[in-house]
Amino acid sequence: MSDDSRPSPSAARTAAVIPAAGRGVRLGPGAPKALRALGGTPMLIHAVRAMAASRAVSLVVVVAPPDGAPEVKSLLDAHALPERTDFLVVPGGETRQESVKLGLDALPPHFDIVLVHDAARPLVPVDTVDAVIEAVREGAPAVVPALPLADTVKEVDPATAPGEPEPVVATPERARLRAVQTPQGFDRATLVRAHATVTDNVTDDASMVEQLGLTVVTVPGHEEAFKITRPLDLVLAEAVLARRRLNDGF
């Protein structure tokens, strides 16, 4: 019998980090995007519940705006959340990358798998969350849910001013492209090393792991895990919620 004290993959404990420190300028002025109402409930609460819906997730860390941790803590306290899951609020940084690192730093040592989830993807189904966790348990250092693209994509030479025509320089093969969602899942030690090593300002954590030379794998994403960025996205999210309530009593 091995004397390795680490837990077996099936016993590995999972925590989720939700960076929610952004202002969400594309949704217009007002409250930070994560605090906008969706079906009468703040988007952040939907995202927290989505992570806690997985029985594998025993801790959710919400990374609040730098000066907004008390407000976010009060928000969580005011809404019904699963009792079997622990919740923690920590103040974030000036960038998403800084905020994720601060969330990582707040994790107790006994968590071996870390999910990083966008607060702006409040409707991700639990099956997607579980699929990401399972792939990390099976040995992948980094896992992202992803969908095939419906549209043809063009690479262009960006215009120097908004609205100017942009010359097309290439048409990537669509069958090889995927639209990446969250939660992204990681072996904790790998993600910690990525944040300690990569200094570029990146748009997602998986790309940091790629820069370490490690393989990131995809699992099937879900159409309801879309990111709420513009007002039209809110309309679609409200429609998804209405359908869930009708079908599932959600």
Side-chain angles (χ1 to χ4, degrees):
M1 182 175 178
S2 170
D3 61 357
D4 192 338
S5 61
R6 291 174 301 175
S8 67
S10 61
R13 297 189 66 184
T14 301
V17 174
I18 302 179
R23 301 280 327 165
V25 293
R26 279 178 288 181
L27 274 178
K33 178 165 57 176
L35 304 186
R36 300 292 180 91
L38 176 59
T41 300
M43 201 184 307
L44 175 60
I45 298 299
H46 288 286
V48 169
R49 287 173 175 166
M51 295 299 97
S54 171
R55 293 194 170 275
V57 175
S58 51
L59 172 66
V60 177
V61 177
V62 178
V63 187
D67 58 353
E71 178 186 5
V72 171
K73 177 68 165 60
S74 296
L75 191 71
L76 264 61
D77 290 341
H79 289 82
L81 299 171
E83 291 185 1
R84 58 181 168 76
T85 308
D86 292 327
F87 302 92
L88 180 64
V89 178
V90 298
E94 293 302 317
T95 67
R96 182 185 186 280
Q97 196 168 350
E98 289 175 14
S99 292
V100 172
K101 186 178 186 304
L102 289 166
L104 267 176
D105 291 345
L107 293 181
H110 53 274
F111 287 95
D112 305 280
I113 296 173
V114 181
L115 305 180
V116 181
H117 183 58
D118 294 333
R121 297 184 191 270
L123 301 178
V124 58
V126 67
D127 288 351
T128 302
V129 180
D130 287 340
V132 170
I133 295 168
E134 187 59 31
V136 180
R137 283 178 170 171
E138 290 176 356
V143 180
V144 296
L147 290 175
L149 297 184
D151 298 321
T152 296
V153 175
K154 301 288 186 183
E155 182 182 350
V156 302
D157 186 8
T160 55
E164 287 188 356
E166 297 178 321
V168 172
V169 298
T171 303
E173 184 182 348
R174 188 173 67 182
R176 296 176 61 86
L177 301 176
R178 297 291 183 269
V180 172
Q181 303 175 323
T182 70
Q184 298 184 354
F186 303 90
D187 166 73
R188 178 184 181 164
T190 298
L191 186 57
V192 168
R193 181 158 67 95
H195 274 271
T197 305
V198 179
T199 56
D200 300 342
N201 189 19
V202 296
T203 56
D204 78 333
D205 297 87
S207 62
M208 299 173 71
V209 174
E210 290 175 49
Q211 290 188 47
L212 296 180
L214 300 176
T215 299
V216 177
V217 303
T218 69
V219 295
H222 196 282
E223 61 183 5
E224 293 181 1
F226 61 91
K227 190 172 187 178
I228 298 178
T229 303
R230 298 173 176 85
L232 184 60
D233 300 326
L234 274 174
V235 175
L236 179 57
E238 294 282 4
V240 171
L241 270 183
R243 187 184 66 187
R244 287 185 181 182
R245 288 173 177 143
L246 184 65
N247 292 344
D248 309 323
F250 175 83

